[in-house]
Amino acid sequence: MTPRKSSTPGKRDKKRQKALRRGKKTQKIIAHDAPHAPELVIITGMSGSGKASVLKAFEDLGYYCVDNLPVELIPRFAEMALQSAEIRRTALVVDVREGSKLDQLPGILKAVRHTIPTKVAFLEASDAALLRRFSETRRPHPLGTDAPVNASIRAERRHLAQIRALADMVIDTSKFNVHELRSLITERFREQASEKSILVSCVSFGFRHGVPEEADLVFDVRFLPNPHFVPEFRPLTGKDPRVARYIRSFPQTKEFIQRISDLLVYLLPHYIHEGKSYLTISFGCTGGQHRSVMIAEEVGKRLHQAGYRVKIAHRDMPK
């Protein structure tokens, strides 16, 4: 059993932000995950049909994901989801790697559905597509190497016929690539995942220390007047109300904040539609102490007001 996701939101956030450079000083979250009703999605289907890619898509949608969970543990897993305040939406893969124990799944599924809302997603593909994928990956079929792959595919289809009949959705992945399959899952489960489920990181930095490698979007704010040249502001940061008020006093600052915020509010739904689960927006000034800090704070607040989960980090701001 291979857990694909930590059950602790803080660990998820740490994983997503681990690429932040060593110079990062402070960060804060100004919006948290909204609570969700308990939900279990069981992913099953033909070997080579894309179950691993689908599980990864669910993980990026915020589900707690487990691959190859023994079927006898499914009731306990569902109970955990019901009792935990942190683990609510869950997804797991069950397939022929279970061997003869897979025959227990229909009965277990019937019992679990009485305790937690459960959906079964069955993935399949044409014999030709599956043969091509096994040939490209050069991996053996889970049923073993004693028989040709095409014979194993036919045997697996027969073995899974009863489970396929119980599925809430059957997805034929024959003509899908990984990105198209991910997009389909995102679209199908968009309501459960929330329209604004993306995590936005607003990061300030100094160009003299280099551009953050993890940045998706970079905005240069060095065109704004620099508080560094005002002696009383030099030892302070952009989080100080006096410094922020000074930077905000210039008309170009107000216009920049408004235009960038409007642009991001326009762009974020399109990123979500493409399946992106987090976005890092970096604002850079010379040293990462004044202007970029103030702008990251202000834009982060506006995105939070627009309903998005926002994390603010100041990579190069001195303590």
Side-chain angles (χ1 to χ4, degrees):
M1 180 174 68
T2 306
R4 289 180 173 257
K5 189 167 187 150
S6 168
S7 62
T8 305
K11 291 182 180 179
R12 295 202 301 268
D13 294 336
K14 183 178 180 181
K15 179 181 177 182
R16 289 172 176 173
Q17 295 303 318
K18 69 179 180 179
L20 284 176
R21 297 177 47 146
R22 57 179 176 79
K24 180 180 70 174
K25 297 297 183 181
T26 63
Q27 69 176 22
K28 66 179 181 179
I29 301 175
I30 61 177
H32 298 278
D33 291 339
H36 292 273
E39 177 190 7
L40 172 63
V41 179
I42 296 178
I43 304 161
T44 187
M46 298 293 295
S47 302
S49 60
K51 296 187 296 294
S53 297
V54 167
L55 191 66
K56 182 65 177 177
F58 275 105
E59 179 182 336
D60 290 341
L61 285 172
Y63 286 70
Y64 182 96
C65 297
V66 178
D67 187 15
N68 198 23
L69 182 73
V71 293
E72 62 265 27
L73 293 183
I74 292 178
R76 181 69 185 93
F77 185 80
E79 182 182 345
M80 176 188 69
L82 285 170
Q83 295 177 351
S84 173
E86 298 174 344
I87 303 174
R88 306 298 285 172
R89 296 180 299 153
T90 56
L92 57 89
V93 168
V94 178
D95 55 30
V96 292
R97 288 174 291 177
E98 277 291 283
S100 60
K101 291 184 178 180
L102 190 61
D103 295 336
Q104 303 174 27
L105 183 59
I108 291 174
L109 179 61
K110 183 177 180 180
V112 167
R113 278 178 162 159
H114 288 301
T115 61
I116 185 172
T118 303
K119 291 184 178 180
V120 177
F122 188 96
L123 275 62
E124 64 180 11
S126 66
D127 287 1
L130 295 175
L131 283 168
R132 184 183 70 251
R133 292 170 187 174
F134 276 107
S135 176
E136 290 172 349
T137 61
R138 299 182 180 180
R139 297 188 63 185
H141 193 280
L143 291 183
T145 58
D146 295 336
V149 174
N150 57 352
S152 296
I153 291 173
R154 291 194 296 270
E156 184 179 22
R157 243 185 243 288
R158 291 192 299 270
H159 192 58
L160 295 177
Q162 184 180 5
I163 297 173
R164 185 185 186 279
L166 299 174
D168 297 282
M169 61 186 72
V170 176
I171 303 173
D172 188 336
T173 69
S174 301
K175 298 182 179 180
F176 288 169
N177 59 36
V178 172
H179 304 292
E180 291 168 339
L181 182 55
R182 175 192 177 94
S183 179
L184 174 66
I185 295 300
T186 301
E187 188 67 30
R188 290 280 183 94
F189 289 84
R190 180 177 302 278
E191 288 185 8
Q192 294 92 325
S194 162
E195 289 291 339
K196 296 184 177 180
S197 60
I198 192 169
L199 174 65
V200 182
S201 293
C202 291
V203 180
S204 71
F205 72 96
F207 276 99
R208 68 169 58 156
H209 305 296
V211 177
E213 295 181 359
E214 75 281 3
D216 296 299
L217 300 172
V218 177
F219 296 100
D220 186 344
V221 299
R222 289 177 292 185
F223 69 92
L224 298 175
N226 194 349
H228 175 79
F229 298 110
V230 180
E232 63 181 294
F233 295 155
R234 186 170 300 175
L236 305 177
T237 73
K239 295 186 70 174
D240 189 285
R242 292 166 293 176
V243 176
R245 187 162 50 248
Y246 171 79
I247 300 172
R248 196 181 292 109
S249 67
F250 298 94
Q252 58 266 43
T253 303
K254 296 178 181 178
E255 184 172 0
F256 176 79
I257 292 172
Q258 185 63 51
R259 287 177 178 264
I260 290 299
S261 299
D262 289 344
L263 174 65
L264 293 172
V265 169
Y266 164 76
L267 289 175
L268 285 171
H270 295 283
Y271 281 116
I272 294 172
H273 181 72
E274 289 302 315
K276 198 165 183 65
S277 57
Y278 59 93
L279 186 76
T280 301
I281 307 166
S282 297
F283 300 93
C285 61
T286 304
Q289 178 174 339
H290 297 110
R291 294 166 291 181
S292 62
V293 171
M294 180 269 179
I295 295 296
E297 289 279 337
E298 189 64 31
V299 173
K301 289 178 183 177
R302 295 199 176 202
L303 294 178
H304 172 48
Q305 291 169 357
Y308 292 98
R309 295 184 300 139
V310 178
K311 176 181 290 185
I312 298 175
H314 304 299
R315 195 192 72 181
D316 301 320
M317 185 184 75
K319 292 182 178 178

